[in-house]
Amino acid sequence: MRAGVFLCECGGNISGVVDLGPLAEHARSLDGVVAVSINQFMCGTEGRALIEKAVEERGLDHFVIASCSPRFQGPTFERIARELRLGENAVAFGNIREGCSYVHAQEPERAQVKARKIVEGAVARLHHMSDLPRQRTFLSRSVLVVGGGIAGMSAAEELAATGIEVHLVERQQSIGGYMARLSKTFPTEDCAMCSLAPRLTGTAINSRIHLHALSDVTAITGPPGEFSVTVRHRPRYVNEKCVGCGECAAVCPVTYPNDFDFGVSERTAVHRPFANAVPATFAIDRKGWSPCKTACPVHTSAHGYVALVAKGRYEEAWRVASEPNPFPSVCGRICTHVCETECTRGNVDDPIAIAGIKRFVADHGAPAELPAPLPVFYDEPIAIVGGGPAGLTAARELAQFGYKATVFEALPVAGGMLRVGIPEYRLPRDVLQGEVDRITALGVELKTGQRCGTDFTVDSLFADGYKAVFMATGLHQSKDLPIPGLDQEGVLRAVELLRAQALGEQPSTGKRVVVVGGGDVAYDAGRTAFRCGADEVTLACIEDERTAPASSEEIEEGKQEQVHVEYSLLPVEILGSGGIASGVKFQRCTLGAPNERGWRPPLPVEGEYVELSGDTVIFAVGQAIVADFTAGAEGVVVERGQIGVDPDTMMTGRRGVFAGGDAAAMGPWTAIEAIAAGRRGARAVHNFLRGELLVPVWDSEADKVKIPHTELEPFEPQARRIMKTLDGVARRTTWEEVRLGFSEEDVREEAARCLDCAVCSDCKSCVTACPADAIDFDQKAWDEEITVGAVILATGHQEFDAMRKLPLGYSRFRNVLTQSQLARLLSASGPTAGELKRPSDGEVPRRIFMLQCVGSRDCTSSGNEHCSAICCLFATLHSSLIKQHYPDAEITIGYTDMRTPGKAHEEYYRLVQERGVRYVRGRVGEILEEQDGSLTVRLENTMTGSKSEEAYDLVVLSAGLEGSKGTQDIARVAGVQTAAAGFIRELHPKLAPVDTQRTGMFLCGTAQGPKNIPDSIAQAKAAAARAISMLSTGFAMTPAQVAASDVSVCIGCGVCEASCPQTAIVLTLGADAHSVVDPNICRGCGICAAECPTGAIQLGGFSDDEVLAEATV
Amino acid sequence: MAGAASTTGPGATADRKIVAFCCRECAYAAADASANARTPLPPTVRLVLMPCTGRVSPLHLLSALAEGADGVMVAGCLLGQCHYREGNFHAVDRVAFVQRLLRSVGVEPERCRMFTMSAGEPPKFVAAVREMDRVIGGLPPLPRSEDGGGRKAASAGGASSLAAGEPLVAARGAA
């Protein structure tokens, strides 16, 4: 080391007390010192020249400045060292002025000794000082502003004016923030929207401001100056063709609480929050597929037709219900309706009666005339084997794609199991035939009485020119059990009984019938037996009551018709004599553990037998495939009772032959699954013929959402409507339909129970209504990566949730509002056009009470400690507006303390007092609702101590401010801290009010804390100025005085990571875990270095060696 | 306010040494301000500038005592007003730790003290230094072995780098 020591006289301030000559002599004797000089003012040009000369001539690499406090001239000498290329950390300071001559002037001898020690200490320190690395950071001249409220817009405007590119990200569909929702602003009482609208337009047309509405910032990585930001754009479902005409909203059937109006009005799913919105396009509030739509195998938008029914639009509802499903009236009657099982409302009270609504839609909304035949685009004819739900659905789908489809049906009637498996009293024949007719009307050819394998073969179909075959032959044979006595007279099979009845054969059963089986088919057979003359029907199944496989409707209706059911019985023998059955012998059983297919085998209980006597025994224990079509169908393989298909393409072992429905079911045997299989089959055939064989026919999962009921808007519990039926016993002799359907009144009330949990109902009414073709349901969320130099957080606040103050009755009592809600009611552009109408009856309230400090200045667990700063004047403003509009109004403001600091605020408060608003210093214990909706306020006057009960027409709560949810979210993403009530913490409450703890990230507006509009704007401009000053040079150096970790010493304990207040330190993972300091974030406090147990982490310029060298001299 | 009578009072004699680790934001600023007002201070005190009292480790305090100081003081911002938010809370803990350690080896714990003040409270800094000087003046010089003890003795050569960790590991063992 070659060190210089420069002693400053400071014009006598130092040399008047300390004799610098001997001090210089002493310094010259110190280890490493090669040059010593004394000057009158080391900080002047002469001093600088001395240093330069010594560095040049004596080859100094370090030097000591013994002069004033390093807090004064330290930076000057550090700059000189840097300019002389001695690097960072080349100067040590001996504070011999403030540290010596100034304070020991009365004791010059001791001062002299101390000065020697100070210089010794500084020289000792030099021995341990080495250059500190600094990183050069490129600064992107662009800024991310998060939050498009008044603060975010103001910052963006200011930044853009200096030529910086701004990315303004707003979570809502329009910018404007809270201010756009206010009526007027204090103390000038000018219209909020009037002052905001030019800003909105200005932001929209500014070419340097890139607006990302309906978007979230999901990640911020990288160093300051070059932050890499991920912006997730949520779909609007309305594209840029939108002209803002509002035709879509006019037809939207969904009504949802209007969040823009804080719930005091309702809006449609497709909407624009306010007329001046930016962007001006509408957007659809759509969370995804409602659970009902997701659950449905064909994804019928149940929510869609339910919403339309609630509005009395039955024809449109029919269009929605029949779009994916050619059998709406069938499914309205006999569907297993998993949609109801999944209904969100079912988690809270009862699910919507979706099937009943659908039946009403099909019965009353279907157009009277049949559709016109569809044009055929493709010249490949397609054969469909089987005219059941799967085959007919496939035929309709293919016709809609543009194919000529021919359906071959073995029976004399079309409909498959819908026709011959489901009894007429559940599904009237004419209803089914109506829907079959609608399919054939499209140009689908139906050939009945044509059995595959007998009347024609698959080979012959291809020979006849068909290019693809879809096999949907179903399961039309009853399964038998391997027990003795099956061949006796009086033993029937359910499938055969039902088919015979359906085909008009009028089968007869005995008087006392035992049905073996407990599923829907068993019930259908038993109930059909009643109608064929039975007096007594007993069902016996292996399941117990809890696991009974039949649908709840069948069980309920069976009970009404007095079908007797025996559970947990395993048939072992058909009893009888002389070839005539007389009953069934059962063994009591339990169910074993489910096997890999979910089936639970019956476990017989030893020695427990039960006999049921009867003259007829009907077997309903399952169905099997009739595999008579395989002749001339090489490659089509029946295995395990099903036609084998590739699950992704539905193709059988023979090219061009597909199969679906019950015959190739890979799931439950229900009508709706068969319909879904038909749709997939049509898609598979189409993909095959169009050369896209590998495209899977199953649905994508992308849109499926589950809405937790905690996210629902509040609603009143309400029981679901019960559909009327024919009388239970009397109907046993008639084939009339048992269930009578809903009345129009019932169906509309039932439909109105829908919670619109996914908001948009996917009814697509807007698609039809839009004249600009702007609705686009195919939009998907997408991520965009942008690079910015700095970030400004302006994500704002939200109103304290007044529901947390239970005694005040908010949300329980209709006439208790918050100031924000009142702002909407008083706003000229609000839901009442500025007329103050109380929610319960629309009357103008005369006596109004406003309660201050709701959730503010509140040390209980349900409130916040801080003062929300704006509420005193917010209430005063609203009182003044009401008083001017309704001079008769009597307004009382119950306050804790009136706080009106700020320009012209106290004057405004006095003015409003003079306008006749009554201010009472008091707290409210409780608010009670009277019969007529008026409210009794129990008030304690904290001035006089008196308690009173006062009656009011309307109560308005001045709920305080909290950091918004967006603020919490962005704090997490940006890695900045939040403090009490969710506001983002500034770097220093006084000295750095718009900086965050992360370099290059600034904050402004109510995300930082409660404040009014001008303060938000002022802070926004300050934040913009901070960003501009940071980015103006184009590059930056990281500071020298930052912590750094020596990986060879670090043991990876993580103490530093935990102690860093800036979260600048992270621990790497793995066996050689060690700490890494981000110099962009580190602010150089050194806490980590003091905490480190091994000395691995050291603070630049303040290493242990440097500090101790000086301290121990 | 300055005056010969109020310089040091009945404080420590000239051979005593008190090392004052002062944070740059508050305590050192208060020291500068009091000095600019020419407020006399006892010459026993020697200021060491630190970025934050959070940087002062037990190692610094113990080494200073081991190698010549009769007393050490840590002077930082008012609690809750640290410019790095938490540094002075760490310092309070560490000073308490060092005091316990001193007591356990028979050294007066008041040789190590923590003081807090804002940059705008120079009198508080002056009072702190004078208090420290008075206390140390009332105690005998800190006894040391002939070679001076501490790390200088441990690492022959005096100016060589610190064997990282040794003193602290020992200190942790004692805790």
PDB file of all heavy atoms in Angstrom, chain A residues 202-221:
ATOM      1  N   GLY A 202     -57.577  11.850 -22.488  1.00  0.00           N
ATOM      2  CA  GLY A 202     -56.162  12.157 -22.689  1.00  0.00           C
ATOM      3  C   GLY A 202     -55.315  10.901 -22.611  1.00  0.00           C
ATOM      4  O   GLY A 202     -54.409  10.687 -23.410  1.00  0.00           O
ATOM      5  N   THR A 203     -55.633  10.070 -21.656  1.00  0.00           N
ATOM      6  CA  THR A 203     -54.887   8.818 -21.506  1.00  0.00           C
ATOM      7  C   THR A 203     -55.136   7.914 -22.703  1.00  0.00           C
ATOM      8  O   THR A 203     -54.220   7.275 -23.221  1.00  0.00           O
ATOM      9  CB  THR A 203     -55.333   8.109 -20.213  1.00  0.00           C
ATOM     10  OG1 THR A 203     -55.210   9.036 -19.137  1.00  0.00           O
ATOM     11  CG2 THR A 203     -54.481   6.895 -19.928  1.00  0.00           C
ATOM     12  N   ALA A 204     -56.388   7.887 -23.143  1.00  0.00           N
ATOM     13  CA  ALA A 204     -56.746   6.983 -24.239  1.00  0.00           C
ATOM     14  C   ALA A 204     -56.035   7.375 -25.527  1.00  0.00           C
ATOM     15  O   ALA A 204     -55.627   6.504 -26.303  1.00  0.00           O
ATOM     16  CB  ALA A 204     -58.256   6.994 -24.449  1.00  0.00           C
ATOM     17  N   ILE A 205     -55.881   8.685 -25.791  1.00  0.00           N
ATOM     18  CA  ILE A 205     -55.334   9.093 -27.090  1.00  0.00           C
ATOM     19  C   ILE A 205     -53.831   9.307 -27.047  1.00  0.00           C
ATOM     20  O   ILE A 205     -53.207   9.540 -28.074  1.00  0.00           O
ATOM     21  CB  ILE A 205     -56.022  10.388 -27.611  1.00  0.00           C
ATOM     22  CG1 ILE A 205     -55.797  11.538 -26.634  1.00  0.00           C
ATOM     23  CG2 ILE A 205     -57.498  10.161 -27.860  1.00  0.00           C
ATOM     24  CD1 ILE A 205     -56.275  12.873 -27.157  1.00  0.00           C
ATOM     25  N   ASN A 206     -53.227   9.217 -25.855  1.00  0.00           N
ATOM     26  CA  ASN A 206     -51.787   9.457 -25.756  1.00  0.00           C
ATOM     27  C   ASN A 206     -51.032   8.281 -26.366  1.00  0.00           C
ATOM     28  O   ASN A 206     -51.138   7.151 -25.907  1.00  0.00           O
ATOM     29  CB  ASN A 206     -51.399   9.632 -24.286  1.00  0.00           C
ATOM     30  CG  ASN A 206     -50.016  10.195 -24.136  1.00  0.00           C
ATOM     31  OD1 ASN A 206     -49.101   9.809 -24.848  1.00  0.00           O
ATOM     32  ND2 ASN A 206     -49.863  11.118 -23.220  1.00  0.00           N
ATOM     33  N   SER A 207     -50.253   8.572 -27.410  1.00  0.00           N
ATOM     34  CA  SER A 207     -49.606   7.465 -28.128  1.00  0.00           C
ATOM     35  C   SER A 207     -48.495   6.832 -27.306  1.00  0.00           C
ATOM     36  O   SER A 207     -48.032   5.741 -27.624  1.00  0.00           O
ATOM     37  CB  SER A 207     -49.055   7.959 -29.460  1.00  0.00           C
ATOM     38  OG  SER A 207     -48.115   8.986 -29.199  1.00  0.00           O
ATOM     39  N   ARG A 208     -48.027   7.506 -26.261  1.00  0.00           N
ATOM     40  CA  ARG A 208     -46.953   6.921 -25.444  1.00  0.00           C
ATOM     41  C   ARG A 208     -47.505   6.105 -24.276  1.00  0.00           C
ATOM     42  O   ARG A 208     -46.731   5.474 -23.565  1.00  0.00           O
ATOM     43  CB  ARG A 208     -46.045   8.024 -24.891  1.00  0.00           C
ATOM     44  CG  ARG A 208     -45.145   8.602 -25.956  1.00  0.00           C
ATOM     45  CD  ARG A 208     -43.793   8.971 -25.397  1.00  0.00           C
ATOM     46  NE  ARG A 208     -42.887   9.312 -26.478  1.00  0.00           N
ATOM     47  CZ  ARG A 208     -42.851  10.501 -27.068  1.00  0.00           C
ATOM     48  NH1 ARG A 208     -43.661  11.466 -26.664  1.00  0.00           N
ATOM     49  NH2 ARG A 208     -42.006  10.737 -28.048  1.00  0.00           N
ATOM     50  N   ILE A 209     -48.808   6.174 -24.074  1.00  0.00           N
ATOM     51  CA  ILE A 209     -49.394   5.382 -22.989  1.00  0.00           C
ATOM     52  C   ILE A 209     -50.055   4.145 -23.594  1.00  0.00           C
ATOM     53  O   ILE A 209     -50.987   4.246 -24.391  1.00  0.00           O
ATOM     54  CB  ILE A 209     -50.418   6.196 -22.181  1.00  0.00           C
ATOM     55  CG1 ILE A 209     -49.747   7.422 -21.572  1.00  0.00           C
ATOM     56  CG2 ILE A 209     -51.040   5.331 -21.086  1.00  0.00           C
ATOM     57  CD1 ILE A 209     -50.676   8.336 -20.794  1.00  0.00           C
ATOM     58  N   HIS A 210     -49.505   2.988 -23.247  1.00  0.00           N
ATOM     59  CA  HIS A 210     -50.064   1.737 -23.733  1.00  0.00           C
ATOM     60  C   HIS A 210     -50.982   1.187 -22.653  1.00  0.00           C
ATOM     61  O   HIS A 210     -50.519   0.795 -21.590  1.00  0.00           O
ATOM     62  CB  HIS A 210     -48.950   0.746 -24.061  1.00  0.00           C
ATOM     63  CG  HIS A 210     -47.910   1.344 -24.946  1.00  0.00           C
ATOM     64  ND1 HIS A 210     -48.096   1.496 -26.295  1.00  0.00           N
ATOM     65  CD2 HIS A 210     -46.702   1.891 -24.666  1.00  0.00           C
ATOM     66  CE1 HIS A 210     -47.030   2.089 -26.814  1.00  0.00           C
ATOM     67  NE2 HIS A 210     -46.169   2.344 -25.847  1.00  0.00           N
ATOM     68  N   LEU A 211     -52.259   1.218 -22.941  1.00  0.00           N
ATOM     69  CA  LEU A 211     -53.244   0.848 -21.932  1.00  0.00           C
ATOM     70  C   LEU A 211     -53.536  -0.648 -21.988  1.00  0.00           C
ATOM     71  O   LEU A 211     -53.847  -1.183 -23.048  1.00  0.00           O
ATOM     72  CB  LEU A 211     -54.522   1.662 -22.175  1.00  0.00           C
ATOM     73  CG  LEU A 211     -55.684   1.418 -21.234  1.00  0.00           C
ATOM     74  CD1 LEU A 211     -55.276   1.716 -19.795  1.00  0.00           C
ATOM     75  CD2 LEU A 211     -56.860   2.305 -21.627  1.00  0.00           C
ATOM     76  N   HIS A 212     -53.396  -1.310 -20.856  1.00  0.00           N
ATOM     77  CA  HIS A 212     -53.743  -2.724 -20.759  1.00  0.00           C
ATOM     78  C   HIS A 212     -54.880  -2.836 -19.755  1.00  0.00           C
ATOM     79  O   HIS A 212     -54.634  -2.971 -18.554  1.00  0.00           O
ATOM     80  CB  HIS A 212     -52.554  -3.566 -20.284  1.00  0.00           C
ATOM     81  CG  HIS A 212     -51.299  -3.340 -21.079  1.00  0.00           C
ATOM     82  ND1 HIS A 212     -51.062  -3.941 -22.282  1.00  0.00           N
ATOM     83  CD2 HIS A 212     -50.211  -2.575 -20.833  1.00  0.00           C
ATOM     84  CE1 HIS A 212     -49.880  -3.565 -22.749  1.00  0.00           C
ATOM     85  NE2 HIS A 212     -49.338  -2.734 -21.881  1.00  0.00           N
ATOM     86  N   ALA A 213     -56.114  -2.744 -20.222  1.00  0.00           N
ATOM     87  CA  ALA A 213     -57.245  -2.861 -19.307  1.00  0.00           C
ATOM     88  C   ALA A 213     -57.608  -4.330 -19.148  1.00  0.00           C
ATOM     89  O   ALA A 213     -57.225  -5.165 -19.974  1.00  0.00           O
ATOM     90  CB  ALA A 213     -58.443  -2.087 -19.831  1.00  0.00           C
ATOM     91  N   LEU A 214     -58.350  -4.626 -18.102  1.00  0.00           N
ATOM     92  CA  LEU A 214     -58.768  -5.996 -17.794  1.00  0.00           C
ATOM     93  C   LEU A 214     -57.538  -6.906 -17.756  1.00  0.00           C
ATOM     94  O   LEU A 214     -57.529  -8.011 -18.281  1.00  0.00           O
ATOM     95  CB  LEU A 214     -59.790  -6.468 -18.841  1.00  0.00           C
ATOM     96  CG  LEU A 214     -60.907  -7.399 -18.344  1.00  0.00           C
ATOM     97  CD1 LEU A 214     -61.711  -6.721 -17.253  1.00  0.00           C
ATOM     98  CD2 LEU A 214     -61.809  -7.814 -19.468  1.00  0.00           C
ATOM     99  N   SER A 215     -56.471  -6.408 -17.163  1.00  0.00           N
ATOM    100  CA  SER A 215     -55.198  -7.125 -17.150  1.00  0.00           C
ATOM    101  C   SER A 215     -54.607  -7.088 -15.751  1.00  0.00           C
ATOM    102  O   SER A 215     -54.881  -6.182 -14.969  1.00  0.00           O
ATOM    103  CB  SER A 215     -54.215  -6.476 -18.121  1.00  0.00           C
ATOM    104  OG  SER A 215     -54.740  -6.490 -19.421  1.00  0.00           O
ATOM    105  N   ASP A 216     -53.785  -8.089 -15.470  1.00  0.00           N
ATOM    106  CA  ASP A 216     -53.122  -8.170 -14.173  1.00  0.00           C
ATOM    107  C   ASP A 216     -51.626  -8.299 -14.380  1.00  0.00           C
ATOM    108  O   ASP A 216     -51.189  -8.954 -15.325  1.00  0.00           O
ATOM    109  CB  ASP A 216     -53.591  -9.407 -13.397  1.00  0.00           C
ATOM    110  CG  ASP A 216     -55.061  -9.365 -13.115  1.00  0.00           C
ATOM    111  OD1 ASP A 216     -55.484  -8.457 -12.388  1.00  0.00           O
ATOM    112  OD2 ASP A 216     -55.796 -10.230 -13.630  1.00  0.00           O
ATOM    113  N   VAL A 217     -50.866  -7.720 -13.470  1.00  0.00           N
ATOM    114  CA  VAL A 217     -49.429  -7.959 -13.465  1.00  0.00           C
ATOM    115  C   VAL A 217     -49.207  -9.214 -12.638  1.00  0.00           C
ATOM    116  O   VAL A 217     -49.572  -9.262 -11.463  1.00  0.00           O
ATOM    117  CB  VAL A 217     -48.682  -6.760 -12.852  1.00  0.00           C
ATOM    118  CG1 VAL A 217     -47.203  -7.073 -12.726  1.00  0.00           C
ATOM    119  CG2 VAL A 217     -48.889  -5.525 -13.705  1.00  0.00           C
ATOM    120  N   THR A 218     -48.638 -10.231 -13.266  1.00  0.00           N
ATOM    121  CA  THR A 218     -48.507 -11.499 -12.538  1.00  0.00           C
ATOM    122  C   THR A 218     -47.082 -11.791 -12.114  1.00  0.00           C
ATOM    123  O   THR A 218     -46.853 -12.674 -11.306  1.00  0.00           O
ATOM    124  CB  THR A 218     -49.024 -12.677 -13.382  1.00  0.00           C
ATOM    125  OG1 THR A 218     -48.334 -12.666 -14.630  1.00  0.00           O
ATOM    126  CG2 THR A 218     -50.505 -12.565 -13.632  1.00  0.00           C
ATOM    127  N   ALA A 219     -46.104 -11.071 -12.683  1.00  0.00           N
ATOM    128  CA  ALA A 219     -44.725 -11.298 -12.247  1.00  0.00           C
ATOM    129  C   ALA A 219     -43.877 -10.088 -12.591  1.00  0.00           C
ATOM    130  O   ALA A 219     -44.091  -9.454 -13.626  1.00  0.00           O
ATOM    131  CB  ALA A 219     -44.145 -12.540 -12.918  1.00  0.00           C
ATOM    132  N   ILE A 220     -42.971  -9.750 -11.695  1.00  0.00           N
ATOM    133  CA  ILE A 220     -41.964  -8.718 -11.979  1.00  0.00           C
ATOM    134  C   ILE A 220     -40.630  -9.316 -11.573  1.00  0.00           C
ATOM    135  O   ILE A 220     -40.426  -9.645 -10.409  1.00  0.00           O
ATOM    136  CB  ILE A 220     -42.225  -7.418 -11.194  1.00  0.00           C
ATOM    137  CG1 ILE A 220     -43.628  -6.873 -11.484  1.00  0.00           C
ATOM    138  CG2 ILE A 220     -41.166  -6.370 -11.546  1.00  0.00           C
ATOM    139  CD1 ILE A 220     -43.984  -5.634 -10.689  1.00  0.00           C
ATOM    140  N   THR A 221     -39.751  -9.485 -12.549  1.00  0.00           N
ATOM    141  CA  THR A 221     -38.440 -10.043 -12.232  1.00  0.00           C
ATOM    142  C   THR A 221     -37.368  -9.131 -12.820  1.00  0.00           C
ATOM    143  O   THR A 221     -37.679  -8.158 -13.516  1.00  0.00           O
ATOM    144  CB  THR A 221     -38.282 -11.455 -12.838  1.00  0.00           C
ATOM    145  OG1 THR A 221     -38.563 -11.366 -14.240  1.00  0.00           O
ATOM    146  CG2 THR A 221     -39.249 -12.440 -12.218  1.00  0.00           C
TER     147      THR A 221
END
